[in-house]
């Protein structure tokens, strides 16, 4: 006979953590790598520019981080930061386009899907257009087109090289034909750079698809991509349905494209700056 009943602590008797408390305690400290599934301390990942220290998988980085990676001491000037789309079609899908733009602006602190910047890369002045994949999928509309066109004009005036870092789902549907016109507008501008003998390097990151692939992303004097980046025009499902064939393994990934002559190089993010610097030295002396 026992003098007291020893009660096993049951789940109900333990102080219960509210879901919100749980999130507060763990949120943001650890992250699971999408590729090797290892749990990584988020700070380790960030200090490695979002490249997994275990397996080398490249997670996406935002437009600002990209500029900090490429410019000396992360110092750069920003241009046309207040350009906004006028919503030329007064487009409405699941919500009005104007409303969508305002929400995106709040979420990303950007007015559209591209940052236009200028600064020094290993001491050499360059202009860099960096796309933001979080802003309506990094889609290319009138503002992206205009910012790149102005960047080309600046490069011509200063006789400086141009880099465009693509991260985009393609043309912005909410601007219809206006967004498609940007492909021609930018391509014509890049022709002027070519005639002036100024280098243009295209850096394709995950993902680069649709109208962006079909225009400026593939028009570089050098087209280089990050490892594992999805690059293509139409999605694999659409292609499979059209050609009625199963697509090969790794189709539309950077390495596959390099093997088939669509790219000049696949360069890991941590080697990107020295690689670009060497290339510019080769092109521009
Ligand atoms: Zn990993």
């Amino acid at each position: 006979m026992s003098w007291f009943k020893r009660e096993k602590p049951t789940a109900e008797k333990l102080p219960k953590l509210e879901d919100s408390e749980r999130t507060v305690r763990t949120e943001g400290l650890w992250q699971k790598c999408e590729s090797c599934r290892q749990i990584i301390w988020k700070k380790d990942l960030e200090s490695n520019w979002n490249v997994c220290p275990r397996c080398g998988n490249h997670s996406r980085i935002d437009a600002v981080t990209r500029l900090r990676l490429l410019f000396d001491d992360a110092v750069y000037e920003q241009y046309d930061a207040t350009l906004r789309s006028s919503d030329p079609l007064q487009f409405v899908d699941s919500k009005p386009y104007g409303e969508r733009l305002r929400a995106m602006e709040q979420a990303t602190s950007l007015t559209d899907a591209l940052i236009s910047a200028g600064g020094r890369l290993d001491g050499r002045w360059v202009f860099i257009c960096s796309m933001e994949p979080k802003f309506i999928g990094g889609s290319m509309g009138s503002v992206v087109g205009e910012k790149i066109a102005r960047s080309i004009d600046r490069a011509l005036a200063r006789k400086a090289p141009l880099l465009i870092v693509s991260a985009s789902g393609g043309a912005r549907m909410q601007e219809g034909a206006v967004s498609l016109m940007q492909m021609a507008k930018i391509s014509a501008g890049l022709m002027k750079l070519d005639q002036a003998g100024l280098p243009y390097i295209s850096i394709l990151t995950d993902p680069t698809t649709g109208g962006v692939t079909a225009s400026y992303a593939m028009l570089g004097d050098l087209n280089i991509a990050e490892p594992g980046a999805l690059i293509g025009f139409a999605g694999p499902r659409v292609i499979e349905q059209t050609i009625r064939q199963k697509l090969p393994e790794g189709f539309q990934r950077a390495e596959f494209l390099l093997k088939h002559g669509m790219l000049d190089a696949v360069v890991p993010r941590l080697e990107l700056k020295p690689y670009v610097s060497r290339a510019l030295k080769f092109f521009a002396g």
Side-chain angles (χ1 to χ4, degrees):
M1 175 187 154
S2 65
W3 293 100
F4 53 87
K5 238 165 98 188
R6 189 185 284 267
E7 279 187 46
K8 267 196 187 161
T10 58
E12 290 103 290
K13 297 236 165 106
L14 290 169
K16 228 180 166 179
L17 275 181
E18 292 298 317
D19 278 349
S20 60
E21 278 182 273
R22 282 176 213 253
T23 0
V24 168
R25 285 188 188 181
T26 56
E27 192 198 6
L29 281 181
W30 301 91
Q31 199 166 315
K32 196 185 233 174
C33 171
E34 291 156 30
S35 176
C36 67
R37 317 299 292 166
Q38 293 262 15
I39 309 280
I40 302 153
W41 198 29
K42 209 171 173 183
K43 271 200 174 153
D44 278 349
L45 194 64
E46 282 167 3
S47 64
N48 208 34
W49 301 98
N50 270 10
V51 177
C52 173
R54 305 270 167 84
C55 72
N57 178 61
H58 285 51
S59 315
R60 292 176 189 176
I61 53 175
D62 61 30
V64 172
T65 310
R66 177 70 61 179
L67 293 174
R68 287 180 41 232
L69 169 78
L70 289 169
F71 282 119
D72 296 350
D73 307 316
V75 177
Y76 58 90
E77 287 174 21
Q78 207 191 129
Y79 311 106
D80 310 315
T82 54
L83 270 190
R84 285 179 176 81
S85 170
S86 62
D87 187 4
L89 306 178
Q90 299 291 301
F91 197 84
V92 181
D93 49 79
S94 59
K95 61 174 154 179
Y97 177 42
E99 222 171 83
R100 193 179 290 280
L101 285 170
R102 280 190 291 279
M104 278 289 143
E105 192 169 333
Q106 278 209 322
T108 62
S109 309
L110 298 175
T111 58
D112 214 290
L114 183 140
I115 302 178
S116 170
R120 299 203 176 268
L121 190 156
D122 267 353
R124 181 195 305 273
W125 190 275
V126 296
F127 292 98
I128 304 180
C129 292
S130 177
M131 296 192 80
E132 175 52 65
K134 284 192 191 131
F135 198 106
I136 318 188
S139 51
M140 168 192 56
S142 54
V143 174
V144 166
E146 181 62 18
K147 279 188 170 181
I148 295 179
R150 291 186 188 185
S151 210
I152 292 170
D153 289 343
R154 281 189 198 97
L156 284 166
R158 197 163 172 161
K159 300 200 188 319
L162 174 72
L163 272 67
I164 302 178
V165 185
S166 296
S168 174
R172 186 169 296 167
M173 292 304 128
Q174 292 88 345
E175 292 189 20
V178 177
S179 78
L180 297 180
M181 280 158 60
Q182 308 309 314
M183 297 166 67
K185 173 170 154 179
I186 299 165
S187 302
L190 290 174
M191 175 65 103
K192 282 196 237 163
L193 268 189
D194 186 57
Q195 285 161 350
L198 295 167
Y200 159 47
I201 296 181
S202 171
I203 300 165
L204 298 89
T205 72
D206 187 57
T208 299
T209 58
V212 169
T213 309
S215 63
Y216 57 87
M218 284 296 181
L219 292 177
D221 295 306
L222 262 185
N223 299 324
I224 57 186
E226 287 197 329
L230 174 77
I231 299 162
F233 181 65
R237 207 152 28 100
V238 175
I239 301 175
E240 278 184 340
Q241 282 166 6
T242 312
I243 64 172
R244 293 165 192 276
Q245 272 181 36
K246 193 99 189 90
L247 293 168
E249 181 75 20
F251 181 72
Q252 289 187 328
R253 293 285 165 189
E255 293 73 12
F256 186 93
L257 270 76
L258 176 68
K259 203 173 144 198
H260 292 81
M262 292 282 284
L263 292 171
D264 295 303
V266 173
V267 182
R269 191 172 293 157
L270 303 183
E271 294 163 26
L272 188 61
K273 186 177 173 179
Y275 186 95
V276 169
S277 173
R278 272 203 313 280
L280 290 178
K281 204 181 256 177
F282 172 78
F283 281 123

